[in-house]
């Protein structure tokens, strides 16, 4: 049960981080260029939209996996 709890909290943390980065990307898309020092889409914003969508999808998937793990492994069957 200990590993299931650790895995659950890792999944929750990764979901939260992905969601926060997606929101950050929607608020200010320049953070990607500032962090990596490149502008691969030459200012069109297409890469930022793709990253935001991918991060939102990742956060939803991770949250659903965490929920499934919690129900299957952590909450005792009644």
């Amino acid at each position: 049960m200990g590993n299931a709890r650790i895995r659950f909290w890792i999944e929750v943390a990764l979901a939260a981080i992905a969601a926060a980065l997606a929101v950050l990307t929607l608020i200010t898309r320049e953070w990607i260029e500032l962090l990596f020092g490149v502008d691969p889409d030459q200012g069109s914003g297409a890469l930022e939209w793709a990253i935001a969508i991918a991060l939102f999808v990742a956060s939803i998937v991770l949250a659903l996996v965490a929920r499934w793990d919690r129900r299957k492994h952590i909450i005792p069957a009644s």
Side-chain angles (χ1 to χ4, degrees):
M1 178 159 9
N3 287 339
R5 285 186 189 270
I6 292 170
R7 187 173 59 239
F8 168 76
W9 285 112
I10 290 172
E11 291 162 350
V12 169
L14 289 174
I17 291 169
L21 287 175
V23 171
L24 178 65
T25 304
L26 293 176
I27 292 172
T28 175
R29 291 179 288 256
E30 289 79 28
W31 75 268
I32 297 169
E33 284 86 6
L34 292 173
L35 183 66
F36 296 109
V38 295
D39 188 11
D41 60 2
Q42 285 76 36
S44 75
L47 178 65
E48 287 84 357
W49 278 108
I51 290 172
I53 291 168
L55 287 168
F56 271 125
V57 169
S59 68
I60 291 168
V61 169
L62 284 164
L64 290 173
V65 169
R67 180 179 178 212
W68 178 79
D69 274 347
R70 181 174 178 257
R71 287 180 181 236
K72 183 174 182 193
H73 300 291
I74 297 175
I75 297 175
S78 46

